[in-house]
Amino acid sequence: MKLHSFRLLPVDKMEAHLPINKQIIISTEALDIVALNQNIQFNQGESGASVIFTGNVRVSKEEQGLTSMTLEHYPGMTESLLDSMLNQAIERWQLNRVLVAHRVGELAPGDPIVFVGTCGLHRKQAFEAAEFIMDYLKNKATFWKKEHYLLNESKQERWIESKQSDLDALKRW
Amino acid sequence: MIKIKVLFFANFRELLDCSSLSVDLKEDANIRDLCDLIKDKGDSWSSLFSNVQSDLNSDPITSLNNKIKIAVNQEMTTLEYSLKNGDEVAFFPPVTGG
């Protein structure tokens, strides 16, 4: 992941964007978690707490034989939905920095799919905002996942179906 | 007549073997009329669009009863939406990102 290609600003340019810095990244390249974390940790004392979450391609018992995952999205609509989610989070938890990065394209087991970083005055705000963003992203942002398997030497694929448990998570907000 | 751009995503695109389509419709047509028209394009089209229903009482985005999600000009909507010339309509399954 090249830092410059994702609208991540060099640290010395960030000051102009304070107090609220909001970034949305949809990337066909691997997410550079270290660079994203460095970006979210920029702080001149305005953030008493920062929380980061990373969701990765999992191969547990349920996904045995999974070789890769393809992520597709609706360009334009995804960005505007994420933007409106982040605006809600900024207002509700008084965030001063928030970043969402999401992969599209071909992913391998272990690859990061999504990165969420939130910064606010207190830890409760940063934790809750990160959970809210993930719950909304999973239910509203226009991404779709397809899993590719190799089972008994035969290639198989399936589109992941949405889960009731993800939907139920929205009731909290 | 009005001209509409129609997009399909994820398994809908694969099922129909079509990612986008241009459709001419009569003035004041709604999305239900669009579904009625395109369901005659073939077996996979009729299987997807014959039973398309929109539960107006539920959140169009988050209701799982509603297996076909509909957006117009990149905003979620329902079957009763009245189309205008140049609208971009998208059909897709419930989202699964994150």
Side-chain angles (χ1 to χ4, degrees):
Chain A
M1 191 185 86
K2 294 181 204 117
L3 211 62
H4 66 265
S5 60
F6 297 108
R7 292 184 282 135
L8 294 188
L9 299 166
V11 167
D12 61 349
K13 296 271 170 59
M14 287 178 179
E15 205 174 347
H17 291 252
L18 294 175
I20 296 170
N21 184 305
K22 175 180 68 176
Q23 291 178 84
I24 295 163
I25 297 163
I26 294 172
S27 173
T28 53
E29 291 179 62
L31 299 183
D32 183 339
I33 300 300
V34 173
L36 292 168
N37 187 39
Q38 194 176 21
N39 190 275
I40 203 74
Q41 298 300 344
F42 178 78
N43 189 356
Q44 292 184 314
E46 69 281 6
S47 299
S50 63
V51 163
I52 63 164
F53 168 81
T54 313
N56 311 308
V57 178
R58 177 188 59 222
V59 190
S60 68
K61 234 178 183 174
E62 277 177 42
E63 298 91 13
Q64 225 163 16
L66 185 136
T67 53
S68 64
M69 180 181 274
T70 313
L71 263 140
E72 167 177 340
H73 82 121
Y74 184 174
M77 182 160 179
T78 314
E79 289 87 342
S80 77
L81 282 166
L82 288 174
D83 191 58
S84 124
M85 277 171 222
L86 296 193
N87 287 342
Q88 283 181 59
I90 286 166
E91 196 182 323
R92 188 159 164 188
W93 288 280
Q94 289 99 53
L95 303 179
N96 49 49
R97 181 168 285 266
V98 59
L99 191 163
V100 171
H102 204 293
R103 267 302 302 279
V104 290
E106 196 84 4
L107 283 80
D111 280 357
I113 302 168
V114 60
F115 175 98
V116 173
T118 54
C119 299
L121 278 175
H122 304 286
R123 71 178 186 280
K124 194 173 162 58
Q125 291 165 318
F127 272 125
E128 282 193 6
E131 286 200 74
F132 165 87
I133 291 166
M134 276 309 300
D135 286 344
Y136 266 75
L137 185 150
K138 285 195 90 81
N139 286 289
K140 299 205 181 200
T142 41
F143 293 102
W144 299 275
K145 288 192 191 109
K146 187 185 199 179
E147 294 175 329
H148 304 269
Y149 288 88
L150 187 62
L151 294 168
N152 304 321
E153 295 180 17
S154 96
K155 285 184 179 177
Q156 294 176 24
E157 51 186 42
R158 70 175 181 112
W159 289 95
I160 292 184
E161 290 191 11
S162 55
K163 292 195 211 92
Q164 188 61 45
S165 56
D166 285 335
L167 212 49
D168 292 342
L170 285 185
K171 289 174 191 159
R172 186 180 160 197
W173 311 112
Chain B
M1 293 289 266
I2 55 172
K3 198 174 266 303
I4 306 295
K5 185 180 178 188
V6 189
L7 304 175
F8 306 98
F9 289 96
N11 40 339
F12 291 4
R13 187 195 64 248
E14 287 189 349
L15 175 73
L16 305 172
D17 194 21
C18 177
S19 60
S20 83
L21 184 72
S22 181
V23 178
D24 292 327
L25 283 165
K26 64 180 186 339
E27 301 275 341
D28 78 14
N30 62 20
I31 293 177
R32 198 181 291 279
D33 299 321
L34 171 65
C35 293
D36 281 343
L37 185 81
I38 60 178
K39 77 177 186 332
D40 294 331
K41 283 178 66 68
D43 289 349
S44 54
W45 297 77
S46 66
S47 71
L48 190 59
F49 290 105
S50 286
N51 298 315
V52 59
Q53 296 205 345
S54 181
D55 182 354
L56 292 173
N57 296 319
S58 63
D59 180 336
I61 300 172
T62 58
S63 170
L64 261 191
N65 299 325
N66 191 357
K67 293 283 188 192
I68 299 184
K69 306 294 175 193
I70 308 162
V72 173
N73 302 329
Q74 308 196 347
E75 287 194 14
M76 299 304 297
T77 191
T78 66
L79 285 173
E80 312 312 321
Y81 180 93
S82 292
L83 292 160
K84 298 182 301 299
N85 191 41
D87 277 348
E88 176 181 287
V89 181
F91 293 101
F92 47 82
V95 300
T96 55

